Amino acid sequence: MPDEKTITLEIFRYHPESDAGPRFQSYDVPYNEDWVVLDAINWIKDTVDGTLTYRWSCRMGVCGSCGMMINDEPKLSCAVFLKEYYPNPIKVEPLVNFPVERDLVIDMDGFMEKLQSIKPYIIRDDVNDTSQGEYKQSPAELAHYKQYTMCINCMLCYSACPVVGSEPDFLGPAALALGHRYNKDSRDQGFDQRMEKMMEHEAVWGCTFVGECSVVCPKNVDPAGAIQQAKASAAQEYFKGFIMPRGAGK
Amino acid sequence: MGRSSTHQHDVLIIGGGGAGLRAAIAIAQENPDLSVACVSKVYPMRSHTVAAEGGAAAVIKPNDSFENHIYDTVSGSDWLGDQDAIELFVKEAPKELIQLEHWGCPWNREADGSVSVRPFGGMGTERTWFASDKTGFHMLHSLFQTTLKYDNITRYDEHFASKLLVDDGRCCGCAAIELRTGQMRAILGKAIIMCTGGAGRVFPFTTNGAIKNGDGMSMAYREGVALKDMEFIQYHPTGLPGTGILITEASRGEGGILVNKHGYRYLQDYDLGQPLDIHDPEHPRKRTMELGPRDKLSQVFIKEMQKGNTIDSKYGPVVHLDLRHLGEAKINKNLPFVRELAKNYAGIDPVYEPIPVRPVLHYFMGGIDTDLDGATSLRGLYAAGECACVSINGANRLGSNSLTELLVFGARAGASAARFAMDNPDFNVASLEAQAEDESKRIRRDYIETGTTPGTSSGDGGSERIATLRNEMHEAMEGGTGIFRDEKSLTDTCQKIAELRDRFKIVRIDDHTNSFNTDLTAALELGFMLDVAEAIAHSALERKESRGSHQRLDFTNRDDENYLKHSLAFWQDDDAPPRIEYKPVTITKWPPGKRTYGKGSGLTKQENETT
Ligand SMILES: Cc1cc2nc3c(=O)[nH]c(=O)nc-3n(C[C@H](O)[C@H](O)[C@H](O)COP(=O)(O)OP(=O)(O)OC[C@H]3O[C@@H](n4cnc5c(N)ncnc54)[C@H](O)[C@@H]3O)c2cc1C
Ligand code: SF4
Ligand code: FES
C-alpha cells in the first residue's frame, strides 16, 4: 500500500544474552489516528518482529504494566496516542531509574520490596469478626485517603523523580504515598509501625517537593502531596518523641 | 530454556488475580504452618480483576433478602445455575465483602458510615457494593497488599505455568517458566488451585486484557478434567467500538439510558418493561429496561441492527449510552473512570455527549468443572474464579456476581485444598521432576530450537505465524459462536478450529532465546486458546436449544426436557474434537420458570406463588 501513511518508532533494544549494550531499532508502522503507542508496538510484534519484548495487559490504563519512556517522558503506552506525535518519529525506551531486563522490560524487584516494606495493609489491635458488620467510615473519612488508593503501581513517578535517580534506596513516591494512604485510613492503627520505615531514609527528608512525580502520575495520586503530608506528621511525632528520623538531624 | 529446578510447597495456587489471592489468604491465615505458593504470569496487581469496574453483589441492606438475591441469580442463569451452589454463594457473600472491607477496600459510603450499594442489571434490589467505578482495581489491590502481611505466602511472579504435573492420578504441581531467565521450574504442592481467569482473548472484540487466554482451563482439560457449559459466553451490551473497552453497567445502574438512532429507548420494544422518565425518582427501575440482564440486552442490539435502527460508526453499528442527565457531579463521584475511558478512548465527554457502544465479549460462564468446594475430578486439583464453573452463573451471569464469586469460592477452594494437603502429605517428587524436565524439552524442541514440530504432515520446514492463526481463530469464533448461532455457523467454526489446531503444530516463533521470551508465551497461549475455542464450538453445536446467552436460530426455544443439563467437554487428543457429555443441574427450591423482566422487581408476589 504505497500511499498508506506511516509513523516511525525508534525502539530501545537490549538482550542480555547477546547484546553488549543497548541499541535502537527503527520500525515503520502504519499510521492510525485512533492507535495508542501500545497498538503500534503490538503491530510490530505481531507482524514484523516477534522478538520485541515489553509488558502490557489491560490496554485501558488500569493494570499499570505498560509504562515506558516515550520521547523522554514516562507514560503509559496504552494511554498515549500516535496522533500526539505524528508525523514526527517516536522514541520508545524502558522506564529510567530501573535496571533493564530486556528491551522495554525493567526489573521491578526493588519496587516490590519497597511496597512491601511500608506494610501496606490494615493494622489493628482489635480485629472485628465479619459477623459484626463493616467498620463504619464516613464519606469524609473516605475522602481523606481515597486519592492515595488510586495508585496503579505503574512506576512512572520513579522515572520522574530526581531523588530516586541519585539514591536507589529511596522508598520513592508510590510506596510513600501508599504508606500514607493506610496511615490516613480511619480503620487503621499502624501509623507508628509504618512511619518508622517511611521516615528512616534521609531521602524522604531530602525530597524537596520537586513534584515531578505528581506531574507524571496518570492517576492523579499526587504522591508529592502525600510525602509532604507524611513529613509533616512525622515531624509532629518526632517532637512527641515517637519517631527517630535517622536522616533528619544531619 | 534452562534445566529445571524444583520448589516444594503445601498448597500451590496458579493465578494471582482476585480468586488466587483470596485463596492464598484463606490458607495463610487459617494455617500459618502451611507454605503457600502463588504462581502468576504477571505481577498479581496486573491481573485482570483490576479492570472490573461496576461492583460486587451481596445482601446487606434491610430492604433486601437472601431469597431475592438467590431468585435473581437463578432466573438470571435461565435455571442452568446449580441452586445449592447459588444458595451457598448468596449466604456467604456478605461475609466476604465485609472481610474485604476489613482488609481496607475503600467501598463507597453512606452518610452514616455504612457501605453504599447501587442497582445492577437483572438484580431486583440494589445490592451491588462499589468503590466508585474501579471496584475490581480496589479489591485486587486490597487483596494483594493484604497478602504482603503473610510470611508463609511465596510468590512466583512472572512465572508462566505451561503444564500440570500429575502422578498416579493426583495433581501435584505445575511446570512453570521463570520469564526473566527462561528457566523451567517444577513447582510442587500437595494440593493445587487453578485460578487463571477467563479466556476472552479467544474472541477479537473483548473487554478482556491480553492475559486472558484460558491457560488454566486448557491445562486442566488436557489432564482429563471436563470443561463445563463452555457454550455460555457473555456479551456485555456496552463496549466502546474499536477497542472493546468496557463501559460499566453501573452507568445504567446510576440511571444511564440506551437509545437508537432515533433517540428512542428501544429496549421497551423487547419485553423488558416500560421506560420511566429519566427524571422520575423511581428511575432506573430494577430488572427493567436498561437494568435487564446482559444476554437479553445484547441480543436486542442485534435485532435493532437488523431493523436498521443502529447508528453507523467507523467501527460498525453502535447505539448510544446517554448519561448526560446524570450531571457532572454525579458522574464525577460515581463514574469517574467511565468519564476518563470515554474521553481517552472514544474522544467523547459523557457529561456533554452520549457514548457510542456495542455488545462486546466479556465473560465465560463456563469453565473447569468443580463441586461446591472447588474440587475437580482430578485428585488434588481445585479451581476457583472465572476459570472455574461451580456453577452459579448457568446460562447467563448477572453483573457484579463474579467479583463476589471469586471471593466466596476462592476462600472455599483455599480451605478445601489446605485440608487435602494436610491429609495427603506424600507424593513422588522424582516422577514430577521428570515430567517437568520433559516439558522443558518439549518447549525447547517445539518452539525455541526449531520453531516447528517434527513429524507432522507439513514436516520440519513448515511455518505459521502466531498472529495469522490467532486472527483466523478470532474470525471463526466471532462468525460462528457469537450472539446468535446455528448449525451451519457452528459446524464451520468447528472445522476451522480443527484446521487451526493442525496448523498450530507448525507454528514458528521469531524469538529463539531464553530471557523474557514473550513470543514463546504468546505461542503457548495460542495453544491454550485453541483448546478452549474448540470446547466452546463443540459444546454449542451439541446444545440444540436456546437458553440465556446461547441463542440458536435453528432451535429458538428453551428445552428443559432435553437440555436442563450442564454440558461437559472432555479432551480426547491432539487430532480429535472433544467428547461432549451432560450432567444434571441441581434444582432445590426453584423449579424452572419463565424468565420475566420489566415488572420492576425480582421475586414478585405472583412469581413467588408460582414457584
Ligand atoms: C472490564 C471488565 C469489567 C468487569 N467488571 C465486573 C464487575 O463490575 N463486577 C463483577 O462481578 N465482575 C466483573 N468482571 C468480571 C470479573 O472481573 C472477572 O471474572 C474476575 O475478576 C476474574 O478473576 P480471576 O481471579 O478468576 O482471574 P484474573 O483476575 O483474570 O486473574 C488470572 C490470574 O491467573 C494468572 N495466570 C493466567 N494464566 C497463567 C499461566 N499460564 N501461568 C501463570 N499464571 C497465569 C494471571 O497472571 C492472573 O494473575 C469484569 C470483567 C472485565 C473484563
Ligand atoms: S503514584 Fe502515580 S505515577 Fe506513581 S506508581 Fe502510582 S499511579 Fe504510577
Ligand atoms: S496495558 Fe494496562 S496500564 Fe497500559
Side-chain angles (χ1 to χ4, degrees), chain B residues 515-532:
Chain B
S515 166
F516 227 102
N517 189 337
T518 51
D519 206 20
L520 169 65
T521 53
L524 296 171
E525 287 169 342
L526 176 60
F528 295 144
M529 288 193 287
L530 286 169
D531 283 351
V532 170

Side-chain angles (χ1 to χ4, degrees), chain A residues 111 150-158 173-174 177 213 216-221 223:
Chain A
F111 175 77
M150 303 300 284
C151 172
I152 61 172
N153 298 344
C154 67
M155 302 172 292
L156 301 192
C157 51
Y158 285 67
C213 51
V216 300
C217 175
K219 299 289 139 184
N220 297 317
V221 175

Side-chain angles (χ1 to χ4, degrees), chain B residues 497-542:
Chain B
I497 300 294
E499 174 207 312
L500 293 173
R501 280 181 73 197
D502 199 46
R503 286 163 59 195
F504 177 69
K505 292 172 188 157
I506 51 162
V507 77
R508 178 185 283 282
I509 60 177
D510 295 347
D511 194 340
H512 301 284
T513 67
N514 295 313
S515 166
F516 227 102
N517 189 337
T518 51
D519 206 20
L520 169 65
T521 53
L524 296 171
E525 287 169 342
L526 176 60
F528 295 144
M529 288 193 287
L530 286 169
D531 283 351
V532 170
E534 190 159 58
I536 295 169
H538 283 270
S539 305
L541 179 62
E542 293 306 317

Side-chain angles (χ1 to χ4, degrees), chain A residues 15 17 34 45-46 50 55 57 59 63 78 81 102 109 116 120 134-135 137 153 181-182 187 219, chain B residues 46 101 104 109 113 115 145 148 158 180 206 210 314-315 340 345 465 470 510-511 513 515 518:
Chain A
H15 197 304
E17 289 162 33
D34 290 346
K45 177 140 189 121
D46 283 351
R55 294 185 175 109
S57 176
R59 56 79 177 91
C63 77
C78 72
F81 285 80
R102 179 179 174 180
D109 288 355
Q116 179 156 18
E134 71 264 46
Y135 296 127
Q137 183 167 68
N153 298 344
R181 168 249 178 279
Y182 280 96
R187 297 167 290 187
K219 299 289 139 184
Chain B
R46 315 303 189 206
E101 193 277 333
R109 302 282 178 160
V115 296
Q145 288 159 11
L148 298 177
E158 299 198 321
R180 180 178 315 193
T206 173
K314 184 150 108 184
Y315 295 102
E340 176 187 326
Y345 298 101
R465 244 195 121 67
R470 196 168 50 210
D510 295 347
D511 194 340
T513 67
S515 166
T518 51

